[in-house]
């Protein structure tokens, strides 16, 4: 009997449509080396877990649920860490001379042969998802213990007068504990998916905290005696003045982590207990996410897609720092990028490298500001322009003028909601007729933490919470979910984040209100009435109803009062 293809299994199970399968096969032809399952996951058509279970059905390779599996350290140690990470292979148990290994790609015969050679065991494979195997490996190989050991080693060196105090790398032993400790702090942050590292001096010790999924988590404490050594080490790497401790400074450096070059942007700030360091962790080579996977509700997605196909006009994305604006911009540019278009950006900083797009970084010392860069870009015959942020009147006026002269312009602003971006431009001094003529749409967004899939459970929210959302009378029979808390989510109940969106389309009635210089409240009220505004609150509530996030998380991120 002929074995079914993977795509056919997923289609017959009702997980994908025939059209999605055909689209995946077409994409597979153009992108050699990709498997059908990988393409379908990238398209957002199925989950990696659904693909793994389909392979189980296709190849009779057992699927294993790793979230509830107890790992045996003695078995894991049979496979070297480097090999386990390279092949995404997690040893589970050994019976006689047979070693059972969970793999994301159990059909990789080279990997299986290599594992057999290195362990001297017969290899029996089971399948799980790449995400779950990576998480198990990260949990096992976490650097907490080595970090704690190195802290003690550096502290002993300090007490003996031998720890490094800064200076050039050439004059410091490359194996010095201080350098190892600084490296481990960054390496673990990368592996934990942290966006920022905080080195926070207190009266008696120094906290090391990572920002993961938008929340700060304390990772370790450093003795006060080695504060100077570790702070100096990071400042040396960032090439800023080690001796200057009274003023704020910033710099950047690159580190290698798991074969990738990671950029670290450091900012120091003087406090009463010493210098506070915050380091932003960036992977410039990271794959840009697909716009479809960011969490757009269908109605907003369809409208947004139609508007970004325009040949001119301005598209504004707004929200606070850390709300995912840059990610949305990059995903948008990736989608509309075409060999027939000249796309140029001016950014501060350039966080990701985009192929076939000219990217420029702001450099005030060289006279390259947003306004100056934009003035030069307009003379480069662009079709699409991306201005990282509108911060002042000159940049705002030039960006809108460019949008009125045959260019499609994307930019960001910091406002609480979509209507607020209009009034912010007016307050900056931009003429109302320029705004009403040049701006096509404003997209506001936030990032909500998503419920951990490993410990997700149904629950009944407290009456107070339901009343806060004014849905106490409608909650009868409706299911809500939360995370109970487990090792996978650091016992927070949340793992990962998703976008929540608000879109304000500038229809003629809204443009009339702008020309009348009406405030954000009036514009918002009118847009709700005409259907030109779909709100953050409504999108968040819909995601809670689908079990993606919790009502408590929506309340933490989005203003609920007055939205009913």
């Amino acid at each position: 009997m002929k074995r079914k293809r993977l795509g056919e299994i997923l289609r017959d199970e009702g997980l994908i449509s025939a059209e999605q399968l055909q689209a995946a096969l077409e994409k597979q032809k153009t992108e050699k080396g990709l498997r059908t399952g990988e393409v379908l996951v990238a398209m957002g058509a199925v989950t990696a877990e659904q693909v793994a279970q389909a392979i189980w059905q296709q190849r009779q390779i057992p699927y294993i649920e790793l979230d509830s599996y107890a790992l045996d350290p003695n078995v894991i140690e049979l496979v070297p860490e480097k090999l386990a990470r390279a092949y995404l292979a997690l040893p589970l148990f050994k019976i006689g001379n047979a070693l059972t290994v969970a793999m994301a790609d159990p059909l990789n015969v080279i990997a299986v042969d290599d594992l057999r050679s290195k362990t001297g065991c017969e290899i029996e494979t089971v399948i799980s998802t790449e995400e779950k195997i990576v998480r198990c490996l990260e949990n096992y190989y976490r650097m907490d213990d080595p970090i704690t050991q190195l802290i003690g080693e550096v502290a002993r060196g300090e007490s003996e007068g031998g720890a490094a105090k800064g200076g050039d790398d050439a004059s410091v032993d490359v194996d010095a504990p201080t350098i190892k400790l600084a490296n481990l702090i960054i390496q673990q942050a990368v592996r934990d998916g942290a966006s920022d590292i905080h080195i926070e001096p207190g009266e008696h010790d120094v906290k090391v905290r990572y920002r993961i999924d938008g929340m700060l988590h304390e990772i370790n404490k450093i003795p006060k005696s080695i504060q100077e050594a570790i702070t100096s080490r990071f400042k040396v790497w960032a090439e800023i003045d080690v001796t200057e401790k009274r003023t704020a400074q910033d710099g950047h450096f690159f580190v290698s982590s798991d074969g990738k070059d990671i950029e670290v942007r450091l900012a120091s700030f003087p406090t009463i207990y010493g210098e506070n360091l915050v380091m932003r962790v960036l992977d410039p080579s990271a794959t840009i996410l697909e716009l479809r996977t960011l969490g757009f509700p269908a109605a907003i997605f369809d409208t947004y897609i139609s508007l970004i196909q325009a040949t001119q006009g301005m598209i504004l994305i707004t929200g606070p720092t850390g709300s995912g604006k840059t990610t949305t911009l990059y995903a948008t540019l990736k989608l509309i990028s075409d060999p027939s278009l000249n796309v140029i950006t001016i950014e501060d900083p350039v966080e990701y490298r985009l192929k076939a797009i000219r990217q420029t970084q702001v450099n005030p010392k060289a006279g390259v500001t947003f306004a100056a860069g934009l003035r030069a870009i307009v003379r480069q015959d662009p079709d699409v322009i991306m201005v990282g942020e509108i911060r002042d009147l000159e940049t705002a006026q030039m960006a809108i003028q460019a949008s009125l002269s045959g260019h499609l312009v994307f930019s960001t602003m910091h406002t609480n909601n979509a209507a607020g971006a209009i009034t912010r431009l007016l307050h900056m001094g931009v003429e109302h007729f320029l705004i009403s003529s040049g701006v096509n749409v404003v997209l506001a967004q936030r990032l909500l933490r998503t419920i951990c899939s490993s410990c997700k459970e149904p629950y009944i929210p407290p009456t107070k919470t339901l009343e806060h959302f004014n849905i106490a009378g409608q909650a009868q029979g409706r299911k809500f979910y939360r995370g109970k808390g487990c090792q996978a989510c650091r016992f927070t109940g949340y793992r990962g984040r998703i976008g929540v969106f608000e879109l304000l389309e500038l229809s003629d009635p809204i443009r009339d209100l702008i020309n009348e210089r009406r405030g954000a409240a009036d514009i918002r009220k009118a847009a709700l009435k005409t259907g030109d505004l779909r709100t953050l609150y409504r999108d968040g509530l819909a995601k809670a109803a689908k079990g993606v996030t919790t009502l408590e998380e929506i309340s933490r991120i989005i203003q609920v009062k007055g939205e009913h």
Side-chain angles (χ1 to χ4, degrees):
M1 182 179 173
K2 188 179 178 183
R3 179 187 291 150
K4 269 190 179 182
R5 293 178 181 271
L6 182 68
E8 292 171 347
I9 293 172
L10 293 167
R11 181 198 60 200
D12 293 347
E13 290 286 328
L15 297 172
I16 61 171
S17 65
E19 291 76 16
Q20 286 174 315
L21 175 56
Q22 188 58 40
L25 294 174
E26 290 297 326
K27 191 170 184 181
Q28 199 177 12
K29 289 177 186 176
T30 59
E31 299 185 30
K32 302 294 184 186
L34 287 179
R35 296 176 186 265
T36 307
E38 291 174 318
V39 176
L40 286 165
V41 171
M43 288 169 55
V46 289
T47 66
E49 196 160 351
Q50 288 169 331
V51 169
Q53 291 177 346
I55 293 174
W56 174 11
Q57 185 177 334
Q58 180 196 36
R59 299 276 181 168
Q60 300 301 303
I61 298 173
Y63 172 82
I64 190 162
E65 179 50 72
L66 290 176
D67 286 333
S68 57
Y69 197 90
L71 300 177
D72 183 346
N74 293 324
V75 174
I76 291 181
E77 293 299 330
L78 293 172
V79 175
E81 178 185 355
K82 190 173 181 181
L83 205 64
R85 289 186 183 278
Y87 292 137
L88 293 177
L90 180 69
L92 298 176
F93 53 87
K94 184 171 180 277
I95 299 176
N97 196 44
L99 177 65
T100 297
V101 181
M103 298 182 69
D105 183 8
L107 305 179
N108 186 338
V109 292
I110 295 174
V112 172
D113 285 345
D114 210 356
L115 290 168
R116 184 183 294 114
S117 171
K118 289 291 192 295
T119 62
C121 298
E122 285 303 312
I123 304 298
E124 295 184 0
T125 59
V126 295
I127 189 169
S128 192
T129 67
E130 179 177 335
E131 179 194 3
K132 291 181 179 181
I133 291 173
V134 168
R135 188 164 67 243
C136 286
L137 291 172
E138 295 301 340
N139 285 338
Y140 183 78
Y141 291 117
R142 275 192 62 82
M143 298 176 178
D144 292 22
D145 289 341
I147 286 175
T148 302
Q149 291 167 11
L150 275 170
I151 287 171
E153 197 174 329
V154 176
R156 286 192 296 275
E158 275 290 320
S159 65
E160 295 165 8
K165 293 277 187 181
D168 296 333
D169 280 343
S171 63
V172 180
D173 180 1
V174 293
D175 294 323
T178 306
I179 296 176
K180 284 185 181 178
L181 175 57
N183 255 317
L184 280 176
I185 288 172
I186 293 173
Q187 298 288 340
Q188 188 58 57
V190 173
R191 292 183 177 184
D192 282 358
S195 60
D196 300 88
I197 304 167
H198 289 235
I199 310 292
E200 303 172 341
E203 185 177 1
H204 304 295
D205 54 32
V206 181
K207 287 181 182 176
V208 178
R209 298 204 290 172
Y210 294 164
R211 188 175 293 281
I212 302 169
D213 290 340
M215 305 292 284
L216 282 169
H217 300 268
E218 185 174 320
I219 303 301
N220 226 311
K221 285 183 179 175
I222 293 175
K224 198 72 177 169
S225 60
I226 66 172
Q227 175 182 329
E228 192 79 18
I230 197 69
T231 299
S232 295
R233 172 46 43 200
F234 286 125
K235 290 176 71 175
V236 165
W237 283 342
E239 297 182 347
I240 58 179
D241 190 348
V242 177
T243 62
E244 180 53 74
K245 300 177 176 64
R246 298 166 298 173
T247 61
Q249 299 181 81
D250 57 80
H252 70 106
F253 57 94
F254 287 87
V255 294
S256 180
S257 177
D258 295 332
K260 298 186 293 185
D261 285 331
I262 303 297
E263 183 178 6
V264 180
R265 294 180 177 270
L266 180 148
S268 70
F269 186 76
T271 74
I272 58 172
Y273 295 121
E275 288 183 282
N276 194 85
L277 303 184
V278 175
M279 290 173 276
R280 170 62 56 90
V281 181
L282 298 169
D283 179 3
S285 64
T287 303
I288 307 300
L289 296 173
E290 297 286 339
L291 200 60
R292 189 181 292 276
T293 66
L294 300 185
F296 280 91
I300 288 182
F301 182 79
D302 291 342
T303 303
Y304 184 69
I305 289 294
S306 67
L307 289 165
I308 64 175
Q309 307 296 332
T311 56
Q312 70 175 59
M314 174 177 273
I315 293 169
L316 280 173
I317 300 176
T318 185
T321 300
S323 60
K325 299 187 299 295
T326 302
T327 299
T328 300
L329 268 181
Y330 279 128
T332 302
L333 292 180
K334 179 184 176 185
L335 182 69
I336 66 171
S337 179
D338 185 271
S340 65
L341 295 176
N342 182 19
V343 183
I344 308 181
T345 75
I346 175 83
E347 307 171 53
D348 183 24
V350 173
E351 293 189 16
Y352 301 100
R353 311 294 191 255
L354 293 167
K355 291 180 180 177
I357 288 177
R358 267 59 58 198
Q359 294 175 270
T360 307
Q361 185 154 310
V362 165
N363 184 358
K365 291 180 181 176
V368 183
T369 61
F370 276 122
L374 184 52
R375 192 179 295 111
I377 285 171
V378 172
R379 296 194 290 268
Q380 292 291 310
D381 186 30
D383 297 293
V384 179
I385 301 169
M386 191 267 267
V387 183
E389 185 184 343
I390 291 177
R391 297 174 181 170
D392 54 62
L393 174 59
E394 186 182 7
T395 306
Q397 286 178 325
M398 292 190 64
I400 293 179
Q401 290 285 5
S403 75
L404 291 168
S405 58
H407 306 96
L408 184 61
V409 179
F410 293 90
S411 193
T412 71
M413 295 183 75
H414 289 172
T415 62
N416 289 330
N417 55 43
I422 303 299
T423 52
R424 176 65 60 83
L425 289 171
L426 286 168
H427 291 155
M428 279 183 178
V430 181
E431 292 291 348
H432 58 87
F433 59 85
L434 290 177
I435 300 170
S436 63
S437 303
V439 178
N440 292 355
V441 67
V442 183
L443 181 76
Q445 68 177 79
R446 301 286 190 279
L447 290 176
L448 291 174
R449 290 181 297 168
T450 52
I451 299 169
C452 174
S453 59
S454 301
C455 59
K456 186 175 181 178
E457 64 176 12
Y459 86 118
I460 300 172
T463 303
K464 190 176 180 181
T465 301
L466 295 172
E467 288 174 349
H468 182 60
F469 283 86
N470 199 30
I471 57 172
Q474 308 160 32
Q476 193 74 24
R478 182 186 288 186
K479 272 192 175 182
F480 290 95
Y481 294 86
R482 67 180 175 188
K484 186 168 58 176
C486 64
Q487 185 177 348
C489 62
R490 295 173 167 270
F491 300 95
T492 63
Y494 298 95
R495 191 170 77 240
R497 289 191 291 176
I498 194 169
V500 59
F501 299 90
E502 172 173 294
L503 185 133
L504 172 63
E505 191 174 355
L506 270 65
S507 63
D508 288 340
I510 302 303
R511 295 183 197 278
D512 290 341
L513 289 175
I514 295 170
N515 287 328
E516 292 170 17
R517 301 175 183 272
R518 302 286 281 275
D522 289 341
I523 293 172
R524 189 173 176 81
K525 186 177 178 181
L528 283 169
K529 191 175 291 184
T530 60
D532 293 316
L533 177 66
R534 276 144 275 182
T535 67
L536 289 164
Y537 169 75
R538 289 296 169 192
D539 186 23
L541 208 55
K543 285 180 167 70
K546 290 177 181 175
V548 175
T549 190
T550 64
L551 293 175
E552 289 80 3
E553 177 68 359
I554 296 166
S555 185
R556 185 181 74 86
I557 293 294
I558 300 169
Q559 178 183 326
V560 174
K561 189 176 179 181
E563 290 284 352
H564 309 134

